[in-house]
Every structure is written in C-alpha cells, then in structure tokens.
Amino acid sequence: MTDSTIAKVQLGTGGPEVGVQGLGCMGMSFAYGPTDADEARATLERALELGVTLYDTADAYGQGENEEFLSPFFKAHREEIVIATKFALSIPPGEPTKRIIRNDPPYIRQAVEASLKRLDVDVIDLYYMHRRDVNVPIEETVGVMAELVREGKVKHLGLSEVTGDELRDAQAVHPIAALQSEWSLFSRDIEAGVVPAARELGVALVPYSPLGRGFLTGSFVNAEKDLTADDFRRQQPRFTGDNAAANAALLEPVRAVAEAHGATPGQIALAWVQRQAATYGLPSVPIPGTRKRTRVEENAAATRIALTEADMTLLDPIASKVAGNRYGDMTFTSAGRE
C-alpha cells in the first residue's frame, strides 16, 4: 500500500481480498437523476487508482442498464477488480415504488445467465441475493446459488438485507462471503441481530448507503425541493417533509467532528462505519456511491481518519433520533423481519 492507496481486507472466510472501501455504482446510470456518463467512467478509473477494487451493481438497476454501462470498465480491468452483482429484485418500468422479489431456482438461473451476458464475463466474483422472498426457503435459494459456484458461473456468494437467523440458515448450506445491508450514522438496526451473526460466522459486512444516500454529506436537505423528479430519494420517508427538517438538524455533531479532524461530514460518516465495524470485530467494506472523481478521492481519504472515543460518543445518539424509515415499505428489509 502506498500513501495514496487504501488498505485491503478479505471478504469472509475464503472470500476475495478487496480494498477496504468499495464503490457503489447504481447512481452512475440509475435512481439518482441525470448523470454525466464520461465523468462516471473517469470515476471508475480513478477509484481503481486509489485501490478501490470492489465494484457493486445489480440487475435491478435500470433493468440491467447499469451492468451494461459497467461492462467495458470491468473487461478492461478484469484481473484487478472484484465484480459484485445481484439478483431477486426487479422494479417495473414506470412504477418506481413497486418491487417484485423472486428467489425461486428457475428465476435465479435465468438471472445469472442474463447478468453474465450483460457484463460480458465468464464468471461473477460475488453474487448476491438482493432481497429475501419469504415464500421460498432460504436453504433452497442458497442451494441453487451454491450450484452456480460448482458450475463455475459464480465464485463467491453474498446476501443482502437478511436477518441474523436467515444468515445462519444460509451459511449452513454454503459459505457466505459478504452480507450487504444499510449501515450508517442514520441506520443502525442491523446491530441488534445481523452484525452479531456476521461476526459469529466470519461473514464480512458490506454497508450500502453509508453516506445516508448523500444526506449525511449535506448535499441536499429536502429531497422534494432539492432533487429532480426522477430521483429515487424523493420516495424515502426520512428525506421529505417534516422528517427531512428534523433529520437535517441531527447533522450538527457530524459537522463538529469533521471540523475537529479537518475533514468533511461525509468523511466522518465513512470513518464512523469503519470504526463501528472494528468495535464489533468484523471486516467491513462500505460501498459509498458516487459518479464524480473528486468525491471518490474524498471518500477514499476517509479510510485514513481515526475517530476517537470522544468522537464516537458524540455521534452515537444520532441514529436513535432519526425521523422516518429508510424505506416506505420496510418488509423488504432485515429490520422488517427481525
């Protein structure tokens, strides 16, 4: 590691080694309003220069468009990076608030073949179940995913938004390298059951939205007023109306800690996730999303910020005061089933 690159960590027992911070790629072509494709491509390249090697996408992001957008970069750097994508969740065109979840074996096989084709690769490094279909036993779902490993179509398995007990049931079928769930200063519900289970089983945490979808950086205050009509965040309860105003007031401690460290609020939010994971004793690879080179540089620099006990004490109460759920329908999350 040089002064300009981030450290590395292993995902789970026997999983791949990756940079200690990954890159969430959804917003490069989906969900967060207009994007500059050329800048997004430059951001991918800059992230790799900084030591970011885990790149996260899903077939649900733009009905496969995100995978296709990333494909040329993945092919150009195939031996340097870890490709993570997901199945199980689809968003019908024209119905941005609707979710269709499938975990059944025929669908999984259809999904993996489609992702392999869009990504134009022979094997997916890390394949996640994006959301849990409670009508299908998780042992059955993971059993099919394990078959994909044996067939050489997938290298490692991951799960997203599962409970601690669901993770244990899955691990009994096949080793799970990574568990992806929302974890941030604003979202700490996984600490009750999911984090202890991951630590017990040796599964790495991959926190998504560690920047609170940008809210923790101060990039917007009220989604309905500040973001374009096609921005996904306008549908999330904590970013609109009275909730948004109440939650914006919670950022003062983040700004105070940032000033003390000569850092940005976003960097403190990322440093908090890393410190919190270390406190629980498990590896963690947050995947902040960005489509700008300056932001990926800022985010990567956060891996070198060491928060003090006093900092953590100041930041600790924030999550308990957050107004509004992270989704309008929480049944699709681990918190909705714990």
Side-chain angles (χ1 to χ4, degrees), residues 53-327:
T53 55
L54 177 64
Y55 293 81
D56 186 88
T57 182
D59 61 1
Y61 302 159
Q63 300 296 320
E65 291 180 3
N66 197 250
E67 290 177 324
E68 292 175 345
F69 175 81
L70 296 168
S71 177
F73 170 76
F74 288 165
K75 289 178 65 179
H77 301 284
R78 189 66 189 94
E79 301 305 314
E80 304 169 78
I81 64 172
V82 171
I83 299 172
T85 193
K86 316 178 195 73
F87 73 90
L89 175 65
S90 63
I91 304 170
E95 298 182 79
T97 62
K98 188 175 181 179
R99 301 289 185 271
I100 298 173
I101 299 176
R102 290 184 62 182
N103 290 173
D104 56 284
Y107 180 80
I108 296 171
R109 290 196 164 277
Q110 172 187 327
V112 73
E113 295 297 343
S115 284
L116 285 167
K117 183 176 181 179
R118 285 189 294 263
L119 293 166
D120 196 16
V121 296
D122 295 326
V123 60
I124 295 166
D125 300 314
L126 178 59
Y127 199 42
Y128 286 101
M129 181 187 76
H130 202 165
R131 290 292 186 271
R132 169 96 165 91
D133 179 356
V134 297
N135 297 310
V136 180
I138 196 165
E139 296 88 347
E140 181 177 345
T141 299
V142 177
V144 176
M145 295 170 71
E147 291 175 3
L148 300 181
V149 174
R150 290 191 289 272
E151 294 166 9
K153 296 176 181 179
V154 171
K155 290 184 180 180
H156 306 283
L157 302 185
L159 302 172
S160 179
E161 289 286 1
V162 297
T163 67
D165 286 342
E166 289 167 347
L167 178 59
R168 291 185 181 92
D169 291 341
Q171 180 80 1
V173 177
H174 188 279
I176 302 299
L179 171 61
Q180 186 174 137
S181 286
E182 187 165 354
W183 199 12
S184 74
L185 281 167
F186 267 26
S187 301
R188 295 176 57 181
D189 51 73
I190 67 169
E191 292 178 19
V194 177
V195 168
R199 178 183 59 199
E200 166 196 328
L201 300 171
V203 177
L205 253 294
V206 177
Y208 73 82
S209 298
L211 296 172
R213 300 189 184 276
F215 194 84
L216 290 167
T217 71
S219 62
F220 72 99
V221 176
N222 185 302
E224 292 173 308
K225 297 178 180 178
D226 301 336
L227 304 177
T228 57
D230 58 348
D231 196 298
F232 168 71
R233 291 168 288 186
R234 290 167 62 100
Q235 304 165 27
Q236 296 185 291
R238 59 181 48 169
F239 301 142
T240 59
D242 292 341
N243 288 346
N247 293 335
L250 299 177
L251 299 180
E252 185 53 39
V254 184
R255 287 191 286 266
V257 173
E259 184 176 355
H261 283 268
T264 65
Q267 288 177 320
I268 297 305
L270 291 171
W272 179 89
V273 173
Q274 295 282 15
R275 173 65 185 269
Q276 192 74 345
T279 299
Y280 277 101
L282 78 170
S284 174
V285 182
I287 49 170
T290 186
R291 46 200 179 188
K292 296 180 180 179
R293 282 169 286 183
T294 54
R295 290 299 188 191
V296 83
E297 291 166 356
E298 176 185 327
N299 294 346
T303 65
R304 291 183 280 275
I305 295 175
L307 298 182
T308 66
E309 288 293 339
D311 294 331
M312 296 298 284
T313 299
L314 190 63
L315 298 170
D316 185 72
I318 293 175
S320 64
K321 300 176 182 179
V322 172
N325 287 326
R326 48 194 178 98
Y327 292 103

